[in-house]
Amino acid sequence: SKPWVGGASPKPRLAFGEAREPILKGDLLFLLDSSGSVSYYEFSRIKEFIAELLLPFTFGPHDVQTGIVHISTTPILEFPFDRHFSTGAIQHAVRNIQQVMGDTNTGQTISFAKEKLFTAEAGARPNVPKVLVWVTDGFSKGDVTQPMQLLKDMGVTVFIVSTGRGNYLELSAAASQPPEKHLHFVDVDDLGLITKELQDSIAAKRLRATDITASSFRLTWPQLLTRDTGYYILEYAPSGEPRRKVTKQLTGDHTSLVVAQLASQTDYEVVLIPESNEKYIPPQTTRVTTLEGKRREVGKISPLGVPFLNFVALPLSADVVSPAQILISESKPHSIRVSWSPILETVAAYQVMYGPLNDNLVQLKEVDGSLNSTVLENLLANTSYLVTVSAIYKSGKEKALSAKACTREGEQGRRKEGGKMSG
């Protein structure tokens, strides 16, 4: 191990496997659009989404704290960070929220969150990750980019969930970077599609594992050090088998690492120890279970009398992900352009399903896997559509993401001289 260099003295290191800091700790605030532009039905679905989003977290003064503020004519606090400290209390409080109505004064509410909620008086804690989730129907009053930037300057990570069209440029500027990880466009009836992804993104403010396969996983963590301020010690071993511990030393500019050559279907305990030469930073821990591996059963006879290979429990490939972002552009009375990202070589094709929100009529368009955009034509003017882009993988797997799109109003009866359409 590299010797300690200057600064504060390191605290005694715990034995591998001992109890450490909680796996997830932070202050999580919701900006809930409670204005009159949101229908009662939409508001009820958003409440259900927030309740489901919060289910996996452990709440308490040493774990996750959450608060909610209404966006209306003036900001209205539903409850601060230090009000509810159990899953049951949080679920009851969220499901009993009443819509306020009024105007959509988002900019003022963001400033209110900065000045009144991310404070010790409201229960916010120093030196813990701070996350804001803004749920909007896409409409807001006043500038939101500047007040949101002040929050981000305080170290707050901003996620935005838009259930309507919204201004992509404005919302992407308001969200934390990169926008493809912090901005979601999704229909209110499809919020469940992003619940797990958003939970994982919120938890990413701590050490976590992604891209889990039968023999590897990727570890990611927030930037706790720099190359000049320290280094990391990474330790991992099968649970209950400390003698099989593997130790790696990483420079301080690392924020991720792929751990490979692992046993399948095995629980691993992982510890990340930041060795800072400026201050003490607590170790972070997580547990990861590798997937079941491939198992070939050779020599069985099929009904046709031919031997075959039976593959059991094929693990899901790490690159099977849904489109992370859908962008609606070039909206016209009878057509819209739909674009998505990322593009992966493992995708054979994309299927775009679309239909009016108030109708059961659904159409399907297939797009080659090498493309990331298509134009939907022969649409109804001034109509809201639900658009779902599904990635069809060469392995047969399928993942999807939805967004709401609106066509422009038609130019009925308005023609220039000579019979041409005006505008």
Side-chain angles (χ1 to χ4, degrees):
S1 170
K2 186 176 177 180
W4 186 262
V5 182
S9 299
K11 292 191 177 182
R13 189 177 296 176
L14 296 171
F16 192 81
E18 287 187 34
R20 291 179 169 83
E21 292 285 308
I23 289 179
L24 184 62
K25 182 177 183 179
D27 296 333
L28 173 59
L29 180 67
F30 288 89
L31 294 188
L32 178 58
D33 190 343
S34 195
S35 67
S37 66
V38 180
S39 71
Y40 175 81
Y41 173 76
E42 290 175 323
F43 192 78
S44 66
R45 295 306 300 266
I46 291 170
K47 287 198 304 179
E48 182 181 341
F49 165 68
I50 293 175
E52 292 179 358
L53 185 69
L54 293 173
L55 268 177
F57 299 125
T58 300
F59 297 95
H62 303 292
D63 298 289
V64 174
Q65 295 185 157
T66 191
I68 294 179
V69 61
H70 294 267
I71 299 172
S72 184
T73 305
T74 58
I76 297 178
L77 179 62
E78 180 69 24
F79 55 83
F81 290 122
D82 55 0
R83 177 72 57 81
H84 303 296
F85 286 142
S86 71
T87 297
I90 291 290
Q91 291 292 310
H92 182 267
V94 170
R95 295 182 186 278
N96 283 276
I97 293 174
Q98 298 297 313
Q99 188 172 3
V100 177
M101 306 301 286
D103 205 351
T104 314
N105 202 334
T106 307
Q108 183 181 350
T109 306
I110 297 170
S111 298
F112 175 80
K114 175 183 177 294
E115 297 166 7
K116 301 295 184 181
L117 296 180
F118 283 109
T119 63
E121 291 76 15
R125 298 161 293 178
N127 303 320
V128 302
K130 292 176 173 56
V131 175
L132 181 140
V133 178
W134 172 24
V135 185
T136 173
D137 64 352
F139 300 95
S140 59
K141 179 180 178 182
D143 176 56
V144 300
T145 305
Q146 183 177 1
M148 199 69 90
Q149 185 60 51
L150 295 176
L151 267 182
K152 290 186 285 188
D153 290 343
M154 292 174 55
V156 178
T157 302
V158 177
F159 293 92
I160 301 177
V161 178
S162 176
T163 61
R165 286 182 297 171
N167 184 319
Y168 175 77
L169 293 178
E170 179 183 65
L171 293 179
S172 62
S176 290
Q177 298 301 306
E180 59 266 22
K181 293 184 179 295
H182 297 87
L183 174 59
H184 300 271
F185 285 91
V186 60
D187 186 77
V188 72
D189 287 319
D190 294 308
L191 284 167
L193 293 174
I194 66 167
T195 301
K196 181 63 167 60
E197 181 181 352
L198 189 53
Q199 287 167 345
D200 290 345
S201 297
I202 292 171
K205 302 302 115 182
R206 301 287 289 181
L207 174 68
R208 68 178 186 131
T210 61
D211 301 349
I212 301 171
T213 71
S215 60
S216 67
F217 51 77
R218 176 182 291 277
L219 294 171
T220 60
W221 58 90
Q223 185 174 359
L224 304 172
L225 304 169
T226 66
R227 183 178 286 270
D228 297 327
T229 60
Y231 62 98
Y232 296 100
I233 299 295
L234 178 69
E235 302 173 341
Y236 59 92
S239 298
E241 300 183 54
R243 291 184 179 181
R244 296 176 58 187
K245 179 179 69 175
V246 176
T247 301
K248 295 180 180 291
Q249 183 169 311
L250 310 170
T251 56
D253 54 350
H254 277 76
T255 55
S256 69
L257 180 74
V258 174
V259 179
Q261 297 181 331
L262 305 175
S264 63
Q265 207 170 2
T266 301
D267 294 327
Y268 281 86
E269 181 181 353
V270 183
V271 181
L272 181 72
I273 305 167
E275 299 281 21
S276 170
N277 56 26
E278 294 183 342
K279 61 182 178 179
Y280 171 71
I281 303 175
Q284 297 197 23
T285 68
T286 189
R287 289 179 181 268
V288 190
T289 302
T290 52
L291 300 181
E292 187 177 358
K294 293 181 181 179
R295 178 161 51 103
R296 290 189 177 189
E297 297 180 0
V298 186
K300 290 188 176 181
I301 306 299
S302 74
L304 298 178
V306 179
F308 66 91
L309 297 177
N310 182 26
F311 289 86
V312 181
L314 291 173
L316 182 64
S317 173
D319 61 0
V320 179
V321 295
S322 64
Q325 175 184 326
I326 296 178
L327 176 63
I328 307 297
S329 62
E330 301 177 18
S331 176
K332 299 178 181 179
H334 301 291
S335 68
I336 53 174
R337 176 173 291 279
V338 181
S339 306
W340 55 87
S341 65
I343 298 298
L344 300 174
E345 293 182 357
T346 49
V347 174
Y350 292 95
Q351 288 184 349
V352 182
M353 296 180 62
Y354 57 101
L357 284 173
N358 58 354
D359 200 325
N360 292 326
L361 179 62
V362 176
Q363 299 184 67
L364 176 66
K365 182 174 184 179
E366 188 160 307
V367 181
D368 187 87
S370 63
L371 303 177
N372 74 329
S373 178
T374 188
V375 176
L376 305 181
E377 300 177 311
N378 300 318
L379 306 181
L380 300 175
N382 196 27
T383 301
S384 295
Y385 280 80
L386 176 62
V387 180
T388 301
V389 179
S390 299
I392 311 300
Y393 287 80
K394 296 173 183 177
S395 63
K397 299 291 182 181
E398 179 178 338
K399 300 288 280 186
L401 184 66
S402 298
K404 183 189 292 185
C406 295
T407 52
R408 293 188 180 276
E409 186 175 357
E411 301 285 352
Q412 298 176 358
R414 297 172 54 192
R415 295 178 178 271
K416 288 183 177 179
E417 293 182 6
K420 294 183 179 180
M421 293 292 290
S422 64

